[in-house]
């Protein structure tokens, strides 16, 4: 009986040791899984932050390009207005010269007609 009790005690101790080992392995696996999940979440968060920064940078670049284009357009409009003003003034001058020329011709013809 003592031998059977000793064997039963050894078997019980072996069973407890096996259960403790399994629990330890399960705990390690759980810790590894938790660490992996945390790493995955951190990686996703880092990627999300990087994407947000890239989108913001892209939007800023697009806004800068838009401002540059609007500035160029403003300069173009100012040049066009200046050119139109110059053309208008030149047109007035040409009209004035043409009017003076016609008046001079008229006077010359009248003077010639009076002579003859």
């Amino acid at each position: 009986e003592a031998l059977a009790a000793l064997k039963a005690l050894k078997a019980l101790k072996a069973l407890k040791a096996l259960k403790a080992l399994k629990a330890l392995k399960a705990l390690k696996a759980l810790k590894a899984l938790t660490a992996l999940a945390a790493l995955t979440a951190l990686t996703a968060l880092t990627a999300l932050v990087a994407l947000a920064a890239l989108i913001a940078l892209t939007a800023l670049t697009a806004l800068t390009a838009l401002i540059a284009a609007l500035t160029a357009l403003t300069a173009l409009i100012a040049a066009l207005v200046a050119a139109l003003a110059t053309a208008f003034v030149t047109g007035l001058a040409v009209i004035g010269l043409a009017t003076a020329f016609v008046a001079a011709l008229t006077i010359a013809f009248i003077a010639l007609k009076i002579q003859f």
Side-chain angles (χ1 to χ4, degrees):
E1 273 184 24
L3 187 59
L6 185 59
K7 284 183 180 178
L9 184 60
K10 283 184 180 178
L12 184 60
K13 284 183 181 178
L15 184 61
K16 284 183 181 178
L18 182 63
K19 284 182 180 177
L21 184 61
K22 285 183 179 178
L24 184 61
K25 284 183 179 178
L27 183 61
K28 284 182 180 177
L30 182 61
K31 283 183 181 178
L33 185 61
T34 304
L36 182 63
L39 182 62
T40 304
L42 181 61
T43 303
L45 183 61
T46 304
L48 186 62
V49 169
L51 181 63
L54 181 62
I55 289 171
L57 183 62
T58 304
L60 183 62
T61 303
L63 183 61
T64 304
L66 179 62
I67 290 171
L70 287 176
T71 304
L73 182 62
T74 304
L76 183 64
I77 289 172
L80 180 63
V81 167
L84 287 175
T86 302
F88 181 70
V89 169
T90 303
L92 287 179
V94 167
I95 289 172
L97 286 174
T99 304
F101 181 69
V102 168
L105 282 178
T106 305
I107 291 170
F109 281 130
I110 291 173
L112 286 173
K113 195 173 189 183
I114 292 174
Q115 266 187 346
F116 294 110

